[in-house]
Amino acid sequence: MLERIARWRALEQRTADKSAEARAVFDRRGQLLPRERVGLLLDPGQPFLPLCSLAGYLRDQQDPAASVPGGGMIAGIGFVSGVRCMVVASDSGIDAGAIQPMGLEKILRVQEIALANKLPFVHLVESAGANLMRYRVETFVQGGALFRNLALLSAAGIPVITVQHGSGTAGGAYMPGLSDIVIMVRGRSRAFLAGPPLLKAATGEEATEEELGGAEMHTQVSGLGEYLAEDDRHALGIAREVLGHLALTPSLSRERESKEARSSLALPLAREGGGEGAGAREELLCLMPSNLREPVDLREIMVRLVDQGGLLEFKSLYGPATVCAQGSIAGHAVGFIGNNGPIDVAGANKATHFIQWMCQLGHPIVYLQNTTGYIVGRQSEQDGMIKHGSKMIQAVTNATVPQLTLQVGASVGAGNYGMCGRAYQPRFLFSWPSARTAVMGGEQAARTMQIVGEAALARKGATPDRAQAQAQYDRIVEMFEAQADAFHTSGLLLDDGIIDPRDTRAVLAFCLDTIAEAQARQLRPIQFGVARM
């Protein structure tokens, strides 16, 4: 597990190092690097939860030694002037902040999180726009959702605040255009629908960047910007002042968080609690076997996450392979559902009952995924596994309480669905480095295809070529195993990020605080969002 964590952290560091290679250019311009901007924006000493840090891994290029994850942006939940916010920053040290396909998916996901949790959306923009040499029409069309979400946030009463550190061209100009408040930097901010080259190509007109979309023009003439800053630091100071005047519901548990937080751009430290001493945190590293076929009892994880008072297990003698229990994390009452193997008929029924019980109590549900799916076989089918599993999926789909999912081990087959996988829109979903996700195991897939192929040949009276069959078997296993890896699935944004098992309680507590604060926060929705005047 430590080796996997080190590899993941090295990937994140690769991205930071790649961005920092542009320091000389930024220094020459009098600008701060993207991570410096985020660090100055955030309250010192308060926790920051990074999101989707591996976005785009192996999608920009297939060489694991050269892929630079992150999707070209930094994103996470943190505190600005005491307000819990969603913070997004263009990583303009990499390809000038050009929007990457998985970067688009990343910003759409964090916009969803902001909307669901009533988080002010703070956007630090400096982007070269889309890379026209890698143009894809589907990215252009789907990119419209980014702007739709900004309009939805504003109309819901959730402030959208943009600091325009550099360029915003074409579609990028609508990011400040659809913001409630825009802060621009003298001599650096640019926002135009068509930059000088495109303007000349389209109309023959010639104009300078400042005439078309400079900071002074937009704050004095067009009205696109509300505040004119002298440099990046000044702009971030103005943003902090704007956030400080929002007068939103105060953030929960600030004092506790400040005592136990790491510095900016780090996961919060674990909080004090009954099961979460230093020893318990370290033990989380060795509870999941490297071979996920080995049995594991997820109660061992649950008991290390909860406060003093421990767990109250639900129907412990019925469907024991599915574990349901109640507990609390940092004072938040929650229900746990975990897997000690395949989900059988009794387990599906127990989970369905428990989900409804949590909905009646109003307690969020935490799913700990480690299952090979719903159990198969003659007896299981005759006992109604399909209909009972479907009941569980109906309960997950229609649950009226927030659901959080943690993939700690196997997430295979329909077990991914019944345990609130990505398609079931949990409020948050994180993976341990040990997680593996697939429709089935690689060996099972390969053997299935082998049986099908042999049966087809038998009908023709032919015999299989053993060498060819083995080569196909090996290819299928390799394909499935590569795609099941947590780094691969996280790169595809099938989770909200990988976390260190030792930080699990802290991350869940932070998310539960965020959810509770959203429930307490009273918004003032308006019909269309704030229109710029």
Side-chain angles (χ1 to χ4, degrees), residues 292-293 298 319 321-323 337-349 351 368-377 380-381 385-386 388-390 392-393 407 409-421 436-441 444:
L292 296 180
R293 291 179 176 178
L298 289 198
T322 298
V323 181
I337 302 178
N339 315 114
N340 287 345
I343 304 171
D344 58 16
V345 167
N349 279 306
L368 301 178
Q369 289 193 357
N370 181 44
T371 182
T372 53
Y374 290 96
I375 199 164
V376 298
S380 174
E381 298 286 9
M385 188 69 260
I386 294 172
H388 295 299
S390 296
M392 181 176 171
I393 289 173
Q407 296 181 322
S411 178
V412 177
N416 177 275
Y417 306 157
M419 289 293 292
C420 202
R436 299 188 70 78
T437 303
V439 66
M440 64 181 72
Q444 288 76 22

Side-chain angles (χ1 to χ4, degrees), residues 493-507:
L493 288 181
L494 300 181
D495 60 26
D496 296 323
I498 289 176
I499 61 172
D500 187 323
R502 293 168 292 189
D503 290 319
T504 302
R505 174 180 158 86
V507 170

Side-chain angles (χ1 to χ4, degrees), residues 281-396:
R281 291 184 70 241
E282 294 299 319
E283 288 166 1
L284 288 169
L285 289 171
C286 51
L287 293 178
M288 291 304 300
S290 56
N291 181 358
L292 296 180
R293 291 179 176 178
E294 295 178 21
V296 61
D297 188 349
L298 289 198
R299 296 175 187 86
E300 296 289 348
I301 295 177
M302 294 176 187
V303 77
R304 287 166 173 79
L305 301 180
V306 296
D307 300 338
Q308 291 178 351
L311 295 170
L312 174 63
E313 190 166 353
F314 178 81
K315 288 190 175 185
S316 61
L317 302 179
Y318 181 78
T322 298
V323 181
C324 300
Q326 291 175 256
S328 61
I329 298 176
H332 298 284
V334 298
F336 289 98
I337 302 178
N339 315 114
N340 287 345
I343 304 171
D344 58 16
V345 167
N349 279 306
K350 177 165 75 170
T352 301
H353 184 171
F354 186 72
I355 291 167
Q356 294 175 339
W357 174 227
M358 291 301 98
C359 290
Q360 187 180 67
L361 297 179
H363 295 174
I365 301 170
V366 177
Y367 297 85
L368 301 178
Q369 289 193 357
N370 181 44
T371 182
T372 53
Y374 290 96
I375 199 164
V376 298
R378 182 187 297 112
Q379 188 61 52
S380 174
E381 298 286 9
Q382 291 177 359
D383 288 344
M385 188 69 260
I386 294 172
K387 69 178 184 181
H388 295 299
S390 296
K391 284 191 302 189
M392 181 176 171
I393 289 173
Q394 286 178 325
V396 171

Side-chain angles (χ1 to χ4, degrees), residues 27-48:
D27 288 348
R28 188 164 59 249
R29 296 172 180 165
Q31 290 184 295
L32 297 170
L33 285 168
R35 282 164 179 75
E36 294 173 330
R37 293 170 183 169
V38 175
L40 282 173
L41 176 70
L42 294 168
D43 292 350
Q46 291 299 317
F48 178 77

Side-chain angles (χ1 to χ4, degrees), residues 113-263:
I113 293 173
L115 189 60
N117 294 284
K118 302 179 183 177
L119 296 170
F121 192 83
V122 185
H123 199 179
L124 311 184
V125 177
E126 183 174 36
S127 173
N131 186 334
L132 296 182
M133 297 300 291
R134 299 179 181 176
Y135 168 73
R136 292 291 182 273
V137 67
E138 64 271 20
T139 302
F140 152 66
V141 173
Q142 294 162 0
L146 188 163
F147 311 126
R148 177 179 182 271
N149 288 343
L150 293 176
L152 289 173
L153 285 162
S154 180
I158 301 171
V160 178
I161 297 164
T162 289
V163 180
Q164 190 78 29
H165 288 279
S167 294
T169 306
Y174 285 105
M175 287 189 274
L178 286 160
S179 300
D180 302 327
I181 295 294
V182 176
I183 302 158
M184 293 191 155
V185 180
R186 190 190 304 273
R188 295 305 321 165
S189 298
R190 300 282 187 271
F192 26 59
L193 296 179
L198 178 56
L199 180 67
K200 185 173 182 179
T203 69
E205 182 181 354
E206 295 188 13
T208 66
E209 287 190 341
E210 180 60 39
E211 291 171 330
L212 281 175
E216 292 184 58
M217 188 280 285
H218 279 310
T219 53
Q220 297 174 21
V221 180
S222 78
L224 180 66
E226 279 67 57
Y227 300 97
L228 180 62
E230 296 304 317
D231 56 23
D232 284 348
R233 290 178 182 272
H234 186 202
L236 294 166
I238 294 172
R240 288 182 52 80
E241 193 171 356
V242 170
L243 267 294
H245 282 81
L246 292 185
L248 296 173
T249 305
S251 298
L252 299 176
S253 307
R254 295 289 315 291
E255 181 179 354
R256 178 180 60 209
E257 286 167 339
S258 66
K259 287 180 180 178
E260 304 178 24
R262 291 180 181 172
S263 60

